[in-house]
């Protein structure tokens, strides 16, 4: 196998991302469909209390995943991130399987975003088929990703900035409306009556675990910090900084938004295709609210799709360099972009074109389920990799104080992370609407493991190391 450190200089990605790029890339990768469309759907399914509990529990899992990833990424900042870590510290079979699992999930998420973007375009062009818009957005983001990494990062920085400002304004208006500072047409001031204890869990507590896949899907994208490590300046400083700020702000944005939406709208009013963010701005009397908010949400959704394409492409490039994907995907263009990997990734996004033959809502839920299951399994892989890395590191004579970033409360954090993710997957087996997605997800993982074991293991003689020198 070709190690990352042995790659020719002209086939290495450039470290051109600055701290602000890394922060906004990860934050922007989470604020999209999961917040603007999926939050209302989660409240509708689990109630206000169930949604709050779900996003808080998901935030706890996210924290555990991110600190595990942080220790690994600071010690070994390479493009490919957790796939490389799983290869080194669990087994090559695990690295291959988790890498392809995350690739499919991230590429499917891009398909979710294109589908959602096509649905939103119905606001302005109700007579144009959704799949036409999906195809147009696929072409647009392909062009953006084919630019240099620095150009991509700069664009994402500003896209994410727009999203953050929009969410903050929404929260300010929402809380003002809740307490009567802003009147709402045809509605009395709600205060916190919709959050009364008797109505917090209309479907019971157990439904929280079933809807957790929605939550995990919403938080997907945070792990971009690790994937982008190989293209980040000064990773020892910038990665821990990004992790500390991202977790807090993501959870605050989601929890605050759930409180606002739940306080103003009864759970029965909130669904999937109509964004409650737009509805709130309209009834609060914001001029041109529907058009402005739909445009902001469209920008946010496309930004997440863009981030997913970036993550999938870089992961595929890294796997190619480690003998776990065809060599053609490891080639870089003159702009230092893995163009062949990008083209292959875009084919998965074309799943959004299923809207031409299926209900848009059905396509959305299907792709969201695939993506959520994939990322849950990937998060388990990250925690397991950190658990094994620390054991290898100490056994080889490494000193704990020499680690620039450490997981607190080791080994409980990675162990609890693995257990919670596994619990979520178990509960999916009891939900008929998501059970088939679970079967396909686990089946794909097993198929990857068997394929590597019987077809690639002899070809790739991979040496599992306890420490790999960072890529310069």
């Amino acid at each position: 196998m070709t190690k990352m450190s042995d790659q020719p200089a002209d086939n290495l990605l450039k470290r051109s991302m600055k701290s602000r790029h890394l922060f906004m890339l990860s934050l922007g990768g989470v604020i999209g469909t999961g917040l603007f469309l999926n939050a209302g759907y989660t409240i509708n399914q689990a109630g206000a209390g169930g949604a709050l509990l779900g996003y808080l529990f998901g935030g706890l899992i996210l924290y555990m995943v991110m600190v595990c990833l942080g220790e690994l990424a600071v010690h070994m900042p390479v493009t490919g991130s957790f796939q490389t870590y799983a290869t080194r510290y669990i087994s090559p079979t695990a690295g291959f399987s988790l890498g392809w699992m995350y690739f499919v999930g991230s590429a499917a998420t891009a398909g979710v975003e294109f589908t959602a973007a096509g649905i939103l375009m119905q606001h302005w062009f109700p007579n144009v088929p959704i799949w036409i818009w999906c195809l147009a957005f696929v072409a647009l983001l392909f062009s953006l990703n084919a630019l240099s990494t620095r150009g991509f990062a700069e664009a994402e920085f500003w896209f994410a900035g727009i999203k953050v400002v929009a969410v903050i304004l929404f929260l300010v208006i929402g809380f003002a409306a809740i307490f009567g500072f802003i009147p709402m047409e045809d509605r009395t001031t709600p205060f916190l009556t919709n959050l009364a204890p008797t109505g917090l869990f209309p479907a019971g507590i157990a439904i929280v675990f079933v809807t957790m896949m929605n939550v995990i899907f919403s938080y997907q994208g945070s792990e971009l910090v690790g994937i982008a490590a190989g293209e980040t300046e000064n990773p020892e400083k910038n990665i821990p900084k990004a992790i500390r700020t991202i977790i807090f702000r993501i959870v605050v944005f989601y929890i605050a938004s759930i409180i606002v939406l739940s306080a103003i709208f009864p759970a029965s009013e909130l669904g999937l295709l109509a964004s409650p963010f737009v509805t709130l701005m309209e009834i609060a009397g914001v001029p041109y609210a529907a058009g402005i908010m739909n445009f902001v949400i469209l920008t946010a959704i496309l930004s997440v799709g863009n981030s997913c394409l970036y993550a999938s492409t870089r992961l595929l490039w890294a796997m190619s360099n480690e003998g776990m994907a065809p060599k053609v995907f490891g080639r870089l263009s003159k702009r230092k972009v893995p163009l062949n990997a990008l083209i292959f990734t875009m084919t998965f996004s074309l799943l959004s074109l299923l809207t031409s033959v299926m209900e848009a809502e059905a396509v959305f839920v299907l792709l969201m389920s695939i993506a959520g299951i994939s990322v849950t399994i990937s998060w388990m892989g990250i925690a397991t990799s950190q658990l094994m890395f620390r054991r290898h590191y100490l056994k080889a004579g490494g000193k704990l104080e020499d680690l620039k970033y450490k997981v607190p409360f080791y080994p409980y954090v990675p162990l609890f992370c693995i257990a919670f993710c596994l619990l979520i997957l178990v509960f999916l087996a009891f939900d008929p609407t998501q059970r088939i997605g679970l079967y396909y997800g686990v089946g794909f993982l097993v198929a990857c493991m068997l394929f590597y074991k019987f077809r690639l293991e002899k070809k790739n003689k991979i040496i599992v190391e306890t420490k790999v020198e960072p890529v310069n």
Side-chain angles (χ1 to χ4, degrees), residues 278-470:
V278 175
T279 305
L280 173 58
M281 301 294 268
E282 284 182 321
I283 63 178
V286 177
Y288 309 104
I292 294 173
M293 202 63 196
N294 268 303
F295 176 76
V296 170
I297 295 173
L298 178 64
T299 302
I301 286 172
L302 292 178
S303 174
V304 173
N306 206 24
S307 298
C308 289
L309 290 177
Y310 168 85
S312 302
T313 301
R314 267 49 180 188
L315 186 60
L316 188 57
W317 175 85
M319 287 194 294
S320 175
N321 288 323
E322 297 200 359
M324 295 186 172
K327 291 183 179 179
V328 68
F329 298 138
R331 298 172 187 167
L332 298 180
S333 68
K334 292 181 180 179
R335 296 177 178 270
K336 296 296 183 181
V337 173
L339 194 58
N340 292 335
L342 174 61
I343 293 172
F344 182 74
T345 301
M346 292 299 292
T347 60
F348 280 82
S349 301
L350 295 178
L351 289 171
S352 61
L353 301 185
L354 288 172
T355 50
S356 64
V357 294
M358 294 174 59
E359 290 276 346
E361 181 175 350
V363 174
F364 182 94
V365 173
L366 172 65
L367 294 179
M368 184 182 68
S369 178
I370 293 171
I373 291 167
S374 298
V375 79
T376 303
I377 294 174
S378 298
W379 283 6
M380 292 173 65
I382 291 172
T384 305
S385 297
Q386 189 278 327
L387 190 69
M388 301 301 292
F389 158 73
R390 183 75 74 88
R391 291 178 181 176
H392 280 297
Y393 179 79
L394 296 176
K395 187 177 180 180
K399 296 181 179 179
L400 204 57
E401 56 268 24
D402 290 338
L403 290 175
K404 302 295 177 61
Y405 184 87
K406 295 183 285 291
V407 171
F409 308 113
Y410 177 89
Y412 302 108
V413 165
L415 288 174
F416 278 124
C417 181
I418 296 168
F420 288 153
C421 288
L422 186 60
L423 182 65
I424 292 171
L425 293 176
V426 169
F427 267 94
L428 287 184
F430 297 95
D431 180 16
T433 61
Q434 299 187 79
R435 188 181 299 146
I436 189 170
L438 176 64
Y439 292 161
Y440 280 130
V442 174
F444 180 75
L445 180 68
V446 173
C448 286
M449 296 174 70
L450 293 175
F451 179 83
Y452 187 86
K453 193 73 176 175
F454 293 105
R455 292 294 299 272
L456 297 181
E457 188 172 51
K458 293 181 180 179
K459 185 184 298 184
N460 292 337
K461 295 181 179 180
I462 299 174
I463 301 174
V464 179
E465 304 174 10
T466 57
K467 182 175 181 180
V468 175
E469 293 300 323

